[in-house]
Amino acid sequence: MSTPTRAERANAYAPSEMPRVPVRADALAHDTVLRRFLARAESTPDVAALRALAAGGAAADETITWSEWASAAACVAAALVSDGVRAGDRVAILAGNTPLWPIVDVGALLAGTIVVGLFPTCTAAQADALLGDCGARVLLVDGAAQLAKVSPSDGRRIVSAATWDEWLDGGRRALADEAVAAEIARRARAAAPDDVAGLIYTSGSTGEPKGACVSHEYLLASAESIADALKLVAGDSSLSVLPYAHAAERVFGHYTRIVVGMEAGLVADASRLWEAARTFRPTVFGGLPRLYERARDALLAARAAVPNEARLRWDELLRVGVDRSRLRRAGAAVPADLERAWASLRDVAAAPLASIFGDRMRLATSGGAPLAPDVAEALDAMGVTVLGAYGQTEHLCVAFHRPDDYDFDSVGRPMLGTELRIAADGELLIGRGALTFAGYWGRPEATRDAFTDDGRWLRTGDLARIDERGRLAITGRKKELLALSTGKKVAPLPIEGRLAEHPRVAQAVVFGDGRKHVGALLFLRDGAAADDASLDAHVREVNATLAPHEQVRRWRAVPGELRESAGELTATLKVKRAVVAARHADAVEALFR
């Protein structure tokens, strides 16, 4: 009988036969991601773990149980071992939110390798640079568009969607070899908490990506800190919509779901998020500020579309809900009559809320950039309390609001296992511990610079204060890095340097912090004419070299150069971004209208 093709199998990412995993959780002496995952697969083998959603852009609905995930991961491990991949080698993944990502991740960990995620939106040049930096031995891609970004390299195997079936079934056959199975078991048993499990690339203030080394201990401690803050349980579920290469999805999503035992709904097409939420009905909704901005706008549009009588109920819900929200945020008791009035009005918003988030959501979280207080308050009034968080790839679990302890002016209290300190110059420092990264891949000097001289505190580059309630508030940035409302991070300096290469441009200043896209002011050399056609062509040329979220969507020419004498430049001629933003506030606002 011939082997079924991928299209003929119910589980398109599983091998044609499901083999036994060559090691059990109780055989692992150390507490690692592997032991937690295997224990979950052994205790709840038939419970759904991953669900690819047709409503979220998958070719078809597909459910993968914990045991099926474990078996497929074992095949990945065997394929890697039989290919000669050694423990400590890097395995890279360039793929969207499909089952391939979590399956390969666990399989690569079983094989003792280090998993490297590449953003699906990266350019060919960016992919080449990151693959070269980490020295990946194997690269897995999930489609022709991603495959076109990478070029063959000596010593690197590329597994594409077209060769996945053959490669995975080759791993299944390799598992029948006792030597291969024994080697996988040996590597799993050898895994230690301080071993590097993955690299998560982050852009620094210079724009040069650095691979943050995260250990098994980092991943487990972070997941436990998140579960503690949100009181997550095995019956919870969440959507996977941010790329797995993103620190938030990798840790707040993927590894937290493994530790807690939550089901993931995979959204391959982010533009279909609301449709996916209605279908999957998650209990926990994690999003970026831009998603909640859209949700608020959709809810207000629903209010505007109903007859006048219902609209009056909407208005009353918002009025009563804002009063209730302000009391809750202040830590004051909500009077019983106010709570009853609010509860009696919620039905007017029930259907619109369910059409966006599904009808089971009990928790909503936001990170990556600040959520505008007016958006957060409007949603809270309607019954969606969005809990903000703060973290960095180097230490993701810094601060988080709790369901019964939140506001919209801070980023919450420190998370379990995190110690905070404010330096003399106002910089936020984080105590080095289990939740802290192990350093930057191949960059010992950058690693040393990330910490204080005594090595005990991680430098965040952010200015902060801790209020009288113990909540952390971020007040500014020491480092040059923009956080868009979409959660994407943009290093402005390289973009500004390229924009300033035009002969008429003296300086370029890029903006976008808390905004949905990047905009730029181009300060013209003294006496230079604007020549919009030439400048526009130049901006387009620069954009062609950038990832989509980095591209300058709007720009404006401003006559006259920035000057040190005017307080716009430092003594070393670096732009004072805050001064420029304040002095040209109208022009900056015009970039985002």
Side-chain angles (χ1 to χ4, degrees):
M1 180 181 294
S2 62
T3 301
T5 66
R6 172 199 287 237
E8 293 169 335
R9 295 202 304 268
N11 186 334
Y13 287 90
S16 55
E17 297 176 15
M18 304 304 295
R20 180 179 63 85
V21 180
V23 63
R24 291 184 57 83
D26 56 15
L28 307 185
H30 302 295
D31 194 15
T32 62
V33 172
L34 291 174
R35 191 170 79 170
R36 299 291 186 95
F37 174 82
L38 292 173
R40 183 69 54 190
E42 291 164 11
S43 63
T44 59
D46 300 323
V47 172
L50 305 170
R51 195 183 301 271
L53 304 171
D61 286 323
E62 176 186 351
T63 299
I64 297 174
T65 66
W66 288 97
S67 62
E68 289 172 333
W69 184 358
S71 292
C75 293
V76 168
L80 292 171
V81 170
S82 61
D83 279 349
V85 176
R86 298 163 299 184
D89 283 346
R90 275 71 62 207
V91 172
I93 308 172
L94 177 54
N97 294 56
T98 69
L100 180 146
W101 223 111
I103 287 172
V104 171
D105 178 73
V106 174
L109 292 178
L110 270 173
T113 66
I114 297 171
V115 182
V116 184
L118 275 62
F119 277 90
T121 54
C122 71
T123 65
Q126 289 168 332
D128 184 64
L130 296 187
L131 290 170
D133 184 73
C134 71
R137 286 284 309 278
V138 178
L139 169 67
L140 293 103
V141 298
D142 67 350
Q146 303 295 2
L147 184 61
K149 297 177 182 178
V150 297
S151 54
S153 173
D154 291 342
R156 181 187 305 142
R157 175 160 188 173
I158 299 175
V159 179
S160 67
T163 58
W164 168 264
D165 271 4
E166 178 184 356
W167 187 74
L168 194 64
D169 279 326
R172 175 186 59 79
R173 291 189 296 273
L175 273 177
D177 184 331
E178 291 184 4
V180 171
E183 177 62 14
I184 294 171
R186 185 193 68 77
R187 294 186 188 185
R189 287 193 296 269
D194 59 355
D195 284 349
V196 175
L199 301 184
I200 303 178
Y201 273 92
T202 178
S203 295
S205 59
T206 64
E208 183 181 9
K210 298 188 290 290
C213 300
V214 296
S215 66
H216 286 272
E217 181 180 46
Y218 168 108
L219 297 174
L220 292 181
S222 297
E224 288 168 347
S225 186
I226 294 161
D228 171 78
L230 298 180
K231 307 306 178 190
L232 300 175
V233 297
D236 279 319
S237 59
S238 66
L239 291 169
S240 172
V241 62
L242 285 176
Y244 276 96
H246 195 294
E249 177 54 35
R250 192 93 164 262
V251 182
F252 272 77
H254 177 50
Y255 293 115
T256 298
R257 288 190 290 260
I258 288 175
V259 168
V260 177
M262 297 167 58
E263 182 183 357
L266 307 181
V267 183
D269 181 354
S271 70
R272 299 177 66 176
L273 173 60
W274 305 135
E275 183 183 351
R278 288 193 295 273
T279 300
F280 185 67
R281 304 167 62 224
T283 64
V284 179
F285 191 95
L288 300 170
R290 183 59 183 155
L291 296 178
Y292 293 109
E293 292 168 8
R294 291 173 179 166
R296 187 273 311 266
D297 293 345
L299 290 165
L300 293 182
R303 169 206 165 274
V306 298
N308 187 57
E309 182 178 349
R311 196 176 310 139
L312 292 175
R313 283 179 57 79
W314 267 100
D315 292 342
E316 185 67 5
L317 171 65
L318 290 169
R319 185 189 68 77
V320 172
V322 166
D323 290 344
R324 176 181 179 271
S325 174
R326 290 175 179 173
L327 287 170
R328 283 165 53 86
R329 281 144 48 199
V334 178
D337 58 343
L338 179 62
E339 187 70 22
R340 283 194 299 269
W342 180 76
S344 70
L345 293 163
R346 286 196 65 198
D347 64 292
V348 72
L353 282 170
S355 72
I356 295 173
F357 299 109
D359 60 2
R360 295 196 304 161
M361 185 183 71
R362 69 176 187 87
L363 283 172
T365 66
S366 178
L371 177 62
D374 63 319
V375 175
E377 186 172 72
L379 289 172
D380 199 24
M382 290 181 263
V384 179
T385 302
V386 182
L387 304 176
Y390 168 82
Q392 299 184 337
T393 300
E394 294 86 349
H395 188 115
L396 199 63
C397 298
V398 178
F400 215 143
H401 287 293
R402 275 63 165 181
D404 58 351
D405 180 5
Y406 67 96
D407 63 29
F408 304 142
D409 303 315
S410 73
V411 292
R413 299 181 190 275
M415 298 177 71
L416 180 69
T418 293
E419 181 183 5
L420 303 181
R421 171 180 159 189
I422 307 298
D425 63 356
E427 182 181 9
L428 174 65
L429 305 178
I430 304 172
R432 192 171 192 167
L435 290 86
T436 311
F437 84 133
Y440 296 115
W441 181 262
R443 288 176 166 79
E445 291 185 6
T447 299
R448 285 194 296 273
D449 291 344
F451 295 92
T452 54
D453 292 343
D454 60 9
R456 293 179 54 196
W457 298 89
L458 175 69
R459 301 182 186 274
T460 66
D462 286 329
L463 304 175
R465 60 181 174 81
I466 298 175
D467 67 19
E468 65 281 358
R469 296 170 297 180
R471 292 171 177 170
L472 176 69
I474 305 301
T475 60
R477 296 180 183 276
K478 283 186 66 175
K479 61 183 181 180
E480 298 282 356
L481 195 64
L482 306 179
L484 305 186
S485 68
T486 61
K488 298 287 188 181
K489 300 294 194 299
V490 176
L493 297 182
I495 302 173
E496 290 167 350
R498 290 293 311 280
L499 292 172
E501 290 175 0
H502 191 281
R504 288 185 170 84
V505 177
Q507 298 101 2
V509 184
V510 168
F511 299 93
D513 216 24
R515 311 284 191 158
K516 63 182 178 180
H517 66 256
V518 173
L521 296 183
L522 307 181
F523 292 88
L524 303 180
R525 297 188 181 281
D526 293 340
D531 190 358
D532 286 355
S534 174
L535 290 173
D536 188 66
H538 177 61
V539 172
R540 290 176 184 274
E541 288 177 3
V542 173
N543 280 342
T545 68
L546 304 173
H549 70 279
E550 298 172 322
Q551 294 174 0
V552 176
R553 300 297 175 87
R554 292 185 182 178
W555 61 272
R556 188 166 183 171
V558 181
E561 301 180 19
L562 299 175
R563 285 182 166 77
E564 179 186 352
S565 59
E568 297 161 330
L569 301 176
T570 67
T572 56
L573 303 183
K574 293 179 181 177
V575 174
K576 294 183 178 180
R577 197 176 305 277
V579 173
V580 173
R583 204 162 281 175
H584 300 273
D586 290 342
V588 172
E589 282 302 315
L591 300 173
F592 303 101
R593 289 185 188 133

